[in-house]
Amino acid sequence: MNLTLKVWRQKNRSAAGEFATYQARDIIPDMSFLEMLDVVNEEILAQGHEPFAFDSDCREGICGACSLVINGIPHGGNKGVTACQLHMRHFHDGQTITIEPWRASAFPVDRDLITDRTAFDRIIASGGFISAHTGGAPDGNALPVSKPDADKAMDAAACIGCGACVAACKNASAMLFVAAKVSHLGLLPQGQAERYDRVVKMVETMDNEGFGNCTVTGACEAVCPKEISLEFIGRLNRDYLVGSLKK
Amino acid sequence: MNLDAKIPSGPLEKKWDKHRLDMKLVNPANKRKFEVIVVGTGLAGAGAAASMAELGYGVKAFCYQDSPRRAHSIAAQGGINAAKNYQNDGDSVYRLFLDTLKGGDFRAREANVYRLAQVSVNIIDQCVAQGVPFAREYSGMLANRSFGGAQVSRTFYARGQTGQQLLLGAYQALERQIGLGKVKMFPRTEMLDLVLVDGHAKGIVVRDLVTGEISSHAADAVILATGGYSNVFYLSTSAKGCNVTAIWRAYKRGAAMANPCYTQIHPTCIPVSGDHQSKLTLMSESLRNDGRVWVPKAKGDKRPAHDIPETERDYFLERKYPSYGNLAPRDISSRAAKEACDDGRGVGPGGLGVYLDFADSVKRLGETGIREKYDNLFAMYETITGENAYKQPMRIYPAVHYTMGGLWVDYNLQSNIPGLFVLGEANFSDHGANRLGASALMQGLADGYFIAPYTLGNYFATNKIPRPTVGHPEFKRVGDEVNARTKKFLSIKGKRSTTSFHRELGKLMWNNCGMARTKASLETNLRDIPALREEFWKNLNVLGETNSLNQSLEQAGRVADFLEFGELLSRDALLREESCGGHFRSEYQTPDGEAQRDDDHFAHVSAWEYQGENQTPVMHKEPLVYEEIKMSQRSYK
Ligand SMILES: Cc1cc2nc3c(=O)[nH]c(=O)nc-3n(C[C@H](O)[C@H](O)[C@H](O)COP(=O)(O)OP(=O)(O)OC[C@H]3O[C@@H](n4cnc5c(N)ncnc54)[C@H](O)[C@@H]3O)c2cc1C
Ligand code: FES
């Protein structure tokens, strides 16, 4: 099939950006979306122009590097998949596709479709961990964890830190990302000692990094490639309340 | 070249304890004065960086992704081994040691492997303490599954996302140290060279991938934990960015490259669908716990799977290896699949596939039972192929997956360059000629959490060399070389893209140095790779500038290194005139087609020493001396 792409191009953080139009020719349905972009980029290069830059690494939906807004929807709107796992069989001949970077002031654009998401790392650095020095840990089975708790913690821990939740939110809030980590660690017995301190610090950093407020519209849950549930935000709010009262 | 492995004396079980006692310590107040550079933030790098910082050392950590959390370890699916014997099924440190050594076809060092098995138990404890959400039984106890090459259940897992969860544990420990100001993190920063001062590794030259700025960093020691080199084959299960650059540049500065020809082909990957393919996707080996591998008995049988009656199916792994069945080790399973396809019995497009069938397990456990264990893998399979594997068997084919070779290191994980330590997949240390499933995660974390923090301390305590500043002339010299090379890519202005060269190299590697290698095919590579490299430097097309985010430029640097490395890999494969593990030389096989080792001539590590541009490198041998066990012919029958 043949497609028309409108791709966001921006030289660097301070430059103004604009859409450029490219043709994607002879695309086959088994290609992944990123493989389609590779094909187009090879053609752009062959014509003597600089290819557009986009992030990707694992290309199997787990590293969280790929970060494209496709036709207005982060990761393209196929439930539970990242852009790298989106396949061309979901598009049709003659379609026009717009491709943009994440849009959020906490994620500045470094070039074309690439943004700087280090704000997420700083949120984790402020409290998204269990302080367990290497060495001296008790036997792994010394502390039983009920299967439902372990499973639920795993549901939350599945977050890949891609930032689609922020890109989808009209307030560019990072609540779902923070809630996932707070819930993952807060559901486990090992995470109890720092539970309330953790949530307060992480929320504070989130605010300082320029992410917006959560108004629970659920746009984040809808685009999350790992289908992280909105209910974790409820958990965060409860823990946050307790945490701020303790302060 | 000094290849003293520095294996401690004494009985095998006591070596590591004894060594830990013998090593010199740095007192807590002095640790602060030492700085260490850690390149790579996968399990090995993040584990080491966090642990070293916790001890009080100053750490600078580097990765090419935008966040340390995205290192390729994130993609590991199936699990991590540990000799906990929680299942009471006869496991022990000694058994894990034996399985790993045998799995590696007796081409790894005994003492290293034993230590790995020993610390495996601490790893699980550490990860649980960090909050890694391992799978649990209803009792609340940790759950286990089996993996290839073992008859006990010793694999710990977190759904199909074990690597992700272990890495997040290490990443969070690392971020904690970053928050405390103990680690300075440099994401989107690529190491492009190693700097030696007076023969010791004292720093690196890097390029900031956003601004393009090239700069130097000095330290008291350098750790490389930069992962494997599977992408020399272009198509592999590795992430797109995985590369050989860091260890290759270290090699060119004098570090020995060991056993580069030991590469692993994983039996269960989704088959290639066309020329556009940019990478291959693994279907975790854990699936072989419940899936049965088969092809039609008749050649060219094109009926859909469910129309082929039981009696006309060949469950070839169960037939050939009854005691291990579908859980035969990777090298053996891959070759058996290739044989079936070469025999004209492959399935799917081009006949390059075999079935992995879950019908029996669905009958036994119900669809929910299977869903609980593997749902994300089935979903991934459906996303990529558009097929539902609960209803029809998966189609799988072998693909390049892991590289056992890497920089040579001694028992301390120190290379032959003092002060240069190499951890994780980037070193050659523990897997011999074939790695067993769920053992890479174990090794990465063992190296990072439990070995390097001790052995680096010993290096600092016994080598009192002042840390140079980046003003030292060596930094200037190496920095200038890196700058010149970077500019060179842009000055060629040829016609071919980096990708086209990479693809062509990948084809040469896969066809001539893949699952089966011969003298003739390897000699073809030694002729064709240099020719391709020559064309690369004449006809490469990279646009843009050096001082901006330029992905084509990044890629060109990596492919240039692969074009040199691929030749060394082929040369190593040519010289190893035996078959062992993942290295299968068609000339050397037993009458029933198994790998034929030659212990009299090849029970050694091949360590290559660089001799200069376009000079033939020199191979040195480290003999493999087994004190504890006897090398034997592997049998999984
Ligand atoms: C799909 C898949 C599934 C797997 N499943 C399993 C499994 O179930 N069990 C198991 O035990 N093993 C598994 N493995 C193998 C295992 O994941 C890897 O061997 C292991 O994670 C490697 O860890 P590492 O820390 O050595 O390197 P990596 O995790 O690869 O990290 C490399 C790091 O180095 C950095 N880097 C590289 N080059 C440079 C440079 N030049 N400059 C700066 N930084 C650089 C990267 O940014 C990254 O941070 C799997 C592998 C794959 C591909
Ligand atoms: S590239 Fe890793 S999640 Fe898409």
Side-chain angles (χ1 to χ4, degrees), chain A residues 60, chain B residues 39-46 62-65 68 70-81 147 162-163 167 189-192 225-228 237-239 241-243 245-246 279 282 284 330 401-402 423-426 435-442 444:
Chain A
E60 50 185 70
Chain B
V39 188
T41 59
L43 291 180
F62 299 80
C63 70
Y64 69 75
Q65 293 93 345
R70 304 201 206 287
H72 181 55
S73 294
I74 201 93
Q77 302 169 349
I80 177 166
N81 287 331
F147 250 60
T162 316
L167 182 61
T189 307
E190 183 163 30
M191 167 185 163
L192 292 180
T226 47
T237 62
S238 284
C242 291
N243 64 85
T245 291
K279 72 154 290 187
L282 175 76
S284 168
R330 293 178 175 172
H401 173 62
Y402 183 86
L423 320 184
E425 195 173 337
R435 173 177 71 79
L436 289 185
S439 289
L441 301 181
M442 169 171 75

Side-chain angles (χ1 to χ4, degrees), chain A residues 19-58:
Chain A
F19 282 104
T21 305
Y22 303 102
Q23 300 305 319
R25 277 179 270 267
D26 302 324
I27 299 304
I28 58 172
D30 272 342
M31 281 183 189
S32 74
F33 194 80
L34 302 190
E35 283 167 349
M36 183 274 291
L37 297 185
D38 291 341
V39 169
V40 175
N41 261 342
E42 286 283 296
E43 221 178 285
I44 296 176
L45 179 74
Q47 290 162 1
H49 304 291
E50 243 189 291
F52 49 82
F54 63 94
D55 255 328
S56 83
D57 206 20
C58 74

Side-chain angles (χ1 to χ4, degrees), chain A residues 11 13 28 30-32 34-35 38-39 41-42 44-46 48-65 81 85-87 89-90 110-111 114-118 120-122 124-126 128-148 150-155 157-163 177 181 184-185 188 190 194 226, chain B residues 47 50-51 54-55 64-72 74-75 77 84 86 122 124-126 128-134 136-142 158-159 161 164-165 168 171-173 175-179 187-188 210 237-242 273-274 276-282 372 380 382-386 449-450 496-500 503 541-545 548-552:
Chain A
K11 195 124 183 70
R13 204 174 276 206
I28 58 172
D30 272 342
M31 281 183 189
S32 74
L34 302 190
E35 283 167 349
D38 291 341
V39 169
N41 261 342
E42 286 283 296
I44 296 176
L45 179 74
H49 304 291
E50 243 189 291
F52 49 82
F54 63 94
D55 255 328
S56 83
D57 206 20
C58 74
R59 297 207 173 186
E60 50 185 70
I62 192 73
C63 74
V81 289
Q85 289 291 76
L86 183 64
H87 280 70
R89 64 181 80 93
H90 301 291
D110 275 334
R111 171 149 205 161
I114 293 185
T115 55
D116 177 344
R117 290 170 284 180
T118 48
F120 268 10
D121 295 320
R122 290 188 289 274
I124 298 294
S126 70
F129 45 75
I130 291 173
S131 301
H133 265 248
T134 303
D139 184 84
N141 261 347
L143 191 63
V145 181
S146 83
K147 186 166 168 19
D151 286 348
K152 187 136 236 168
M154 181 62 223
D155 289 342
C159 167
I160 58 174
C162 63
F177 169 77
K181 190 47 60 192
H184 158 210
L185 301 175
L188 294 170
Q190 304 90 301
E194 295 161 295
K226 297 295 138 181
Chain B
S51 306
E54 287 165 5
L55 287 170
Y64 69 75
Q65 293 93 345
D66 65 331
S67 164
R69 68 177 289 151
R70 304 201 206 287
H72 181 55
I74 201 93
Q77 302 169 349
K84 281 290 200 184
Y86 284 157
N122 305 99
I124 300 304
D125 301 342
Q126 181 61 32
V128 168
Q130 290 170 342
V132 170
F134 283 121
R136 300 269 170 173
E137 308 287 356
Y138 280 99
S139 62
M141 298 297 158
L142 291 157
R159 284 195 198 138
Q161 288 122 283
Q164 178 197 29
Q165 293 309 316
L168 292 181
Y171 156 78
Q172 286 161 201
E175 285 297 336
R176 176 166 166 256
Q177 295 304 318
I178 294 171
R188 283 206 211 275
V210 179
T237 62
S238 284
K240 286 295 285 174
C242 291
S273 72
H276 58 270
Q277 192 99 19
S278 62
K279 72 154 290 187
L280 294 171
T281 303
L282 175 76
E372 186 143 282
M380 191 193 280
E382 182 162 7
T383 310
I384 294 173
T385 61
Y449 285 144
F450 296 112
R496 282 183 69 180
S497 72
T498 314
T499 309
S500 82
R503 268 213 187 98
N541 180 15
V542 177
L543 299 175
E545 298 120 30
S548 70
L549 198 162
N550 186 340
Q551 292 181 312
S552 312

